[in-house]
Amino acid sequence: MDITWYGLSCFRLVERNQTTVVADPYNSSLGLPEPKLKGDVVTVSHDSSGHNAVDLVKDQQYVLAGAGEYEIGGIFITGIAMHFADEAKGRYHRNVAYLIKYPNDINVLHLGDLAHVPDQSTIEAFGEVTVLLVPIGGGTTLNADQAAEVISLIEPNYIVPMHYAIDGLDLNLEPIDKFLRVMGVSNAEYQDFLRVSASDLPEQSEVIVLTPNISD
């Protein structure tokens, strides 16, 4: 499987002869050029311009925008409501995470705009996670310390940070540096995409920093 990051929370998951999934496509209102995307299924973590630009995805057949269980083209996708009510601040944070299970035993968990550390029962419901796509930039999502706590609970094979400050993005988010320090990563491995094989997984959780696929 190849996983490509387009900035913010937008990813494309491609596995040969399987359904292609695009997660959280964004539009140009964020300061970044509109991504060039093609896929069969689009997942939307919540209804905002940074995550719901489904019309940009060519050849789409299904749009998933809520909790539920779906079987599409041989893959299983579970949308998990991970809303967060902060009574002290009087706000309600809506978010849906997606667990995408491929028949080759590769499970990808996209946490969307997760803003809190889930309880143990939620963590256990995820099961084995091969690749964790996790927000780290603070703002309306997890900050670096919270992200590290979530990662320690899930224990994925690969950790791919998302939703943090990059050049051109018009959002007030933290850069990736703090997260890497918290995770004890001194020499981050930057890649254009992450290639995942179920037969060749790291024994210890490995942080992979992806270069955003952005073109003017």
Side-chain angles (χ1 to χ4, degrees):
M1 169 188 287
D2 289 346
I3 300 176
T4 304
W5 183 47
Y6 292 84
L8 202 58
S9 303
C10 182
F11 290 86
R12 185 169 184 255
L13 282 55
V14 179
E15 173 70 350
R16 182 179 296 179
N17 299 322
Q18 296 290 338
T19 299
T20 295
V21 177
V22 172
D24 278 12
Y26 57 82
N27 63 31
S28 59
S29 66
L30 303 179
L32 300 175
E34 290 182 348
K36 297 177 181 178
L37 299 165
K38 182 179 180 181
D40 306 304
V41 177
V42 185
T43 63
V44 178
S45 64
H46 63 290
D47 192 22
S48 74
S49 59
H51 305 264
N52 68 355
V54 297
D55 291 342
L56 296 181
V57 183
K58 296 181 179 179
D59 296 342
Q60 58 170 285
Q61 300 179 50
Y62 303 93
V63 176
L64 308 182
E69 296 182 353
Y70 313 89
E71 181 181 359
I72 302 172
I75 67 172
F76 293 87
I77 303 176
T78 303
I80 306 153
M82 303 188 74
H83 308 332
F84 176 65
D86 187 342
E87 295 181 0
K89 295 183 179 180
R91 66 186 180 93
Y92 181 77
H93 185 93
R94 182 185 182 279
N95 180 59
V96 178
Y98 292 92
L99 180 62
I100 306 164
K101 296 185 175 183
Y102 283 82
N104 56 2
D105 295 325
I106 293 176
N107 302 331
V108 180
L109 178 59
H110 186 291
L111 290 177
D113 256 22
L114 184 65
H116 67 288
V117 178
D119 58 35
Q120 190 61 39
S121 62
T122 302
I123 296 293
E124 291 173 357
F126 293 147
E128 297 292 328
V129 175
T130 314
V131 182
L132 180 65
L133 310 177
V134 56
I136 62 149
T140 59
T141 70
L142 302 173
N143 60 33
D145 292 319
Q146 291 171 319
E149 183 176 353
V150 171
I151 290 164
S152 69
L153 294 171
I154 296 176
E155 298 183 328
N157 298 101
Y158 291 107
I159 302 149
V160 180
M162 65 177 183
H163 207 279
Y164 58 87
I166 59 174
D167 289 344
L169 181 61
D170 189 20
L171 290 175
N172 185 21
L173 299 175
E174 297 174 356
I176 196 172
D177 306 55
K178 181 179 179 181
F179 172 75
L180 295 177
R181 288 197 301 271
V182 170
M183 294 298 296
V185 177
S186 56
N187 294 306
E189 182 180 352
Y190 286 78
Q191 299 180 183
D192 290 335
F193 60 90
L194 171 61
R195 178 159 291 169
V196 183
S197 172
S199 63
D200 186 25
L201 298 175
E203 295 183 3
Q204 301 292 328
S205 294
E206 184 176 335
V207 175
I208 303 295
V209 182
L210 295 182
T211 302
N213 187 343
I214 298 173
S215 59
D216 293 327

